[in-house]
Amino acid sequence: YNAYRTPTFPQFRTQYIRRRSQLLRENAKAGHEPAVRRQYLKLRAQLLGQRYGPLSEPGSFRAYSNSVVRSSRTTLDRMEDFDEDPRSLGARGHRRSISRGSYQLQAQMNRVIYDERTPGSVVPTSVAEASRAMAGDTSLSENYAFAGMYHIFDQHVDEAVPKVQFANDDRHLLACCSLDGSISVCQLVPAPPVVLRVLRGHSRGVSDFAWSLSNDVLVSTSLDATMRIWATEDGRCIREIPDPDGAELLCCTFQPVNNNLTVVGNGKHNVHVMNISTGKKVKGGSSKLTGRVLALSFDSPGHILWAGDDRGSVFSFLFDMATGKLTKAKRLVVHEGSSVTSISARSWISREARDPSLLINACINKLLLYRVVDNEGTLQLKRSFPIEQSLHPIRSIFCPLMSFRQGACVVTGSEDMCVYFFDVERATRAIVNKLQGHSAAVLDVSFNCDESLLASSDAGGMVIVWRREQK
Ligand SMILES: *[C@@H]1O[C@H](CO)[C@@H](O)[C@H](O)[C@H]1NC(C)=O
Ligand SMILES: *[C@@H]1O[C@H](CO)[C@@H](O)[C@H](O)[C@H]1NC(C)=O
């Protein structure tokens, strides 16, 4: 309810809960008619029981003065369980144990207090250990403990799966594309997981695809020099658009604010902004890089586009929202001659720090984290993490920003057939977890919106869905 009520002002959510529990406590002290109150509490418990299942502490209504606070705590805990970050609404319904209840309430309060130190800000300070406490006082490594495999999809085995991605705000819808020329859309729950449909039509390998914001459309790019637009509902191909240069298409991304526009990168060194309503390239929306364009990423407001090529350069472009025009801004040579195979942008590195960042894979046996230092997309290397990548088009991602967690993690594939998790804020021993199970280079990784599942794909065509350990 609170996530819906004030989606853009998370600080009001906790304020409401805090005020409510304050009123409950004041009322308890004021000494209202005990019989009425008992009746009220009984009714309330019944309603709560109907809505959320039986209370864990049925005896708690005996002591009158205690019952108000205790039952309100129980309620708060339950609310807390459903009080998810708007980004992870899909997580609703996933309920934690309420036995740590009072501690969670305290943590919630602490967070509010910290939040209010900087009015208008929703970001706790780095001393807000409450975030950690709310996650059960676990370390990032415990947060990223995976219990094992949930499912293995092998419908593309023998041809690489360069991209795997969960749908937006959906815990159980997944798609992957393959060099076998098809894209599959998979449903993970109810068990057993199924391949809902296979999108066929491209005559050569599919290099990349993207979900639209509302998941109703997928765009794909292919080595057959076309992009296709698909209706995910029934798997129909809505439109086939040839590359303006007739070149192999290697990557694509939606304009995050206007999903009618998609940017593609091709084998003739060009990026093109495509209007998918018309199937035409946008005037002024094309630009040339120094090599084959392998990776694209917008910042979240859609103002800056970064594009990486196989000669080791990353270019930033300013995107004009009204016209779709691109203006070349900055160039960074990550490593001369080494392919830039993945770029991901993130405007907040963690809940605690607004530190716009870019994550880059570049075939130099390292995953690179850059800071974005100005409005033109200028990059400054912040740190790097050792992986194995000298050849394959390996991709990496930032973990979703969860409302209860401190710190930040990134996940990447690697040629040693492992999936690596790194804590970007830990100075030494940054590896948080390593998943082994693939039998070929791991090319891409994707988290679902509540991080309960991670999917990884490899150069042998296997897709593994990993399940996070439930505490
Ligand atoms: C996208 O295109 C559709 C139809 O072509 C139009 O109704 C809609 O307003 C467009 N959206 C934006 C953000 O331009
Ligand atoms: C894309 O095409 C639609 C439909 O013709 C048009 O209304 C819209 O203005 C175009 N967008 C851009 C940025 O050119």
Side-chain angles (χ1 to χ4, degrees):
Y1 168 66
N2 274 300
Y4 279 114
R5 198 174 63 110
T6 56
T8 47
F9 300 101
Q11 73 271 28
F12 290 155
R13 294 195 239 155
T14 45
Q15 189 175 33
Y16 163 75
I17 293 171
R18 199 161 65 120
R19 179 69 181 136
R20 190 161 173 280
S21 96
Q22 186 188 4
L23 288 172
L24 278 166
R25 265 179 283 131
E26 280 173 8
N27 273 345
K29 271 195 224 122
H32 293 283
E33 179 58 43
V36 174
R37 177 154 292 275
R38 257 197 301 277
Q39 175 61 22
Y40 162 68
L41 288 172
K42 204 169 129 204
L43 190 61
R44 192 158 166 274
Q46 278 169 2
L47 291 172
L48 283 171
Q50 272 174 19
R51 176 70 180 81
Y52 298 118
L55 292 176
S56 65
E57 299 168 275
S60 67
F61 293 94
R62 276 197 308 269
Y64 162 68
S65 64
N66 216 10
S67 67
V68 177
V69 174
R70 179 156 328 173
S71 67
S72 78
R73 254 185 212 155
T74 309
T75 313
L76 290 176
D77 299 338
R78 290 166 185 280
M79 292 177 73
E80 165 63 18
D81 285 339
F82 288 85
D83 178 21
E84 298 281 349
D85 185 291
R87 271 179 293 260
S88 58
L89 273 183
R92 293 154 94 255
H94 167 73
R95 224 186 288 159
R96 289 194 299 270
S97 146
I98 61 171
S99 58
R100 289 195 313 270
S102 54
Y103 188 44
Q104 285 183 359
L105 173 64
Q106 195 53 50
Q108 179 81 290
M109 302 286 189
N110 290 346
R111 184 162 64 136
V112 174
I113 291 160
Y114 284 121
D115 283 352
E116 287 172 356
R117 280 187 189 170
T118 43
S121 162
V122 298
V123 185
T125 69
S126 58
V127 292
E129 283 299 316
S131 299
R132 266 173 65 76
M134 289 175 72
D137 207 17
T138 51
S139 64
L140 265 186
S141 356
E142 287 170 276
N143 262 308
Y144 289 110
F146 278 78
M149 294 178 194
Y150 175 71
H151 192 72
I152 297 175
F153 287 104
D154 58 3
Q155 67 269 21
H156 298 298
V157 159
D158 292 338
E159 292 279 9
V161 172
K163 171 101 167 184
V164 60
Q165 192 161 41
F166 276 95
N168 298 304
D169 296 323
D170 191 308
R171 293 161 74 197
H172 300 133
L173 193 61
L174 177 78
C176 52
C177 67
S178 167
L179 294 191
D180 70 11
S182 69
I183 301 156
S184 40
V185 180
C186 312
Q187 180 82 49
L188 299 174
V189 168
V194 290
V195 179
L196 287 179
R197 54 195 69 88
V198 179
L199 316 181
R200 293 180 208 280
H202 281 299
S203 59
R204 291 185 60 201
V206 183
S207 50
D208 197 2
F209 75 91
W211 290 96
S212 68
L213 262 182
S214 51
N215 300 329
D216 54 342
V217 164
L218 281 178
V219 297
S220 59
T221 49
S222 167
L223 306 180
D224 70 6
T226 67
M227 70 183 286
R228 280 178 179 249
I229 301 155
W230 310 84
T232 39
E233 180 73 16
D234 54 9
R236 186 169 43 94
C237 178
I238 301 170
R239 179 166 270 147
E240 181 185 355
I241 305 172
D243 176 60
D245 307 319
E248 292 183 337
L249 281 168
L250 306 171
C251 53
C252 59
T253 187
F254 273 106
Q255 210 304 327
V257 176
N258 181 352
N259 271 194
N260 286 344
L261 301 177
T262 306
V263 184
V264 296
N266 73 22
K268 287 196 174 152
H269 308 189
N270 284 324
V271 290
H272 295 294
V273 179
M274 306 296 295
N275 187 335
I276 65 173
S277 312
T278 59
K280 301 219 164 71
K281 66 175 180 177
V282 170
K283 201 158 165 271
S286 300
S287 189
K288 207 169 196 70
L289 274 64
T290 50
R292 291 158 59 83
V293 185
L294 304 179
L296 293 167
S297 179
F298 271 102
D299 66 351
S300 53
H303 295 150
I304 306 178
L305 171 76
W306 286 275
D309 66 29
D310 70 349
R311 301 285 170 84
S313 287
V314 171
F315 289 84
S316 69
F317 297 91
L318 305 181
F319 185 89
D320 184 83
M321 209 63 77
T323 60
K325 265 179 75 169
L326 288 179
T327 308
K328 203 181 258 181
K330 301 287 177 181
R331 177 187 177 193
L332 166 79
V333 180
V334 175
H335 189 265
E336 191 73 50
S338 299
S339 294
V340 172
T341 61
S342 173
I343 303 177
S344 310
R346 163 67 72 78
S347 28
W348 294 74
I349 189 70
S350 68
R351 286 187 68 237
E352 290 76 26
R354 177 168 162 77
D355 195 359
S357 304
L358 215 63
L359 198 59
I360 292 180
N361 289 75
C363 292
I364 52 168
N365 292 317
K366 280 181 208 162
L367 172 64
L368 305 164
L369 181 68
Y370 287 86
R371 194 178 278 126
V372 181
V373 295
D374 61 19
N375 292 333
E376 300 208 312
T378 304
L379 303 172
Q380 194 178 71
L381 186 64
K382 188 171 171 184
R383 59 180 304 185
S384 64
F385 308 94
I387 60 167
E388 278 187 35
Q389 186 195 6
S390 53
L391 185 68
H392 285 84
I394 284 170
R395 301 180 202 246
S396 56
I397 51 166
F398 288 95
C399 292
L401 277 181
M402 302 300 266
S403 61
F404 59 79
R405 192 182 53 223
Q406 219 180 9
C409 234
V410 295
V411 186
T412 180
S414 177
E415 285 170 5
D416 63 2
M417 307 185 278
C418 296
V419 176
Y420 286 93
F421 292 65
F422 296 105
D423 180 347
V424 303
E425 283 167 353
R426 207 190 285 179
T428 56
R429 291 185 295 127
I431 291 190
V432 166
N433 199 356
K434 172 175 167 178
L435 302 178
Q436 294 169 297
H438 284 279
S439 49
V442 180
L443 301 183
D444 196 17
V445 284
S446 176
F447 260 118
N448 69 349
C449 56
D450 72 349
E451 290 187 324
S452 56
L453 298 169
L454 174 84
S456 52
S457 68
D458 71 31
M462 199 157 77
V463 174
I464 300 182
V465 181
W466 310 80
R467 183 164 34 90
R468 199 152 68 96
E469 216 164 79
Q470 296 294 323
K471 288 199 285 97

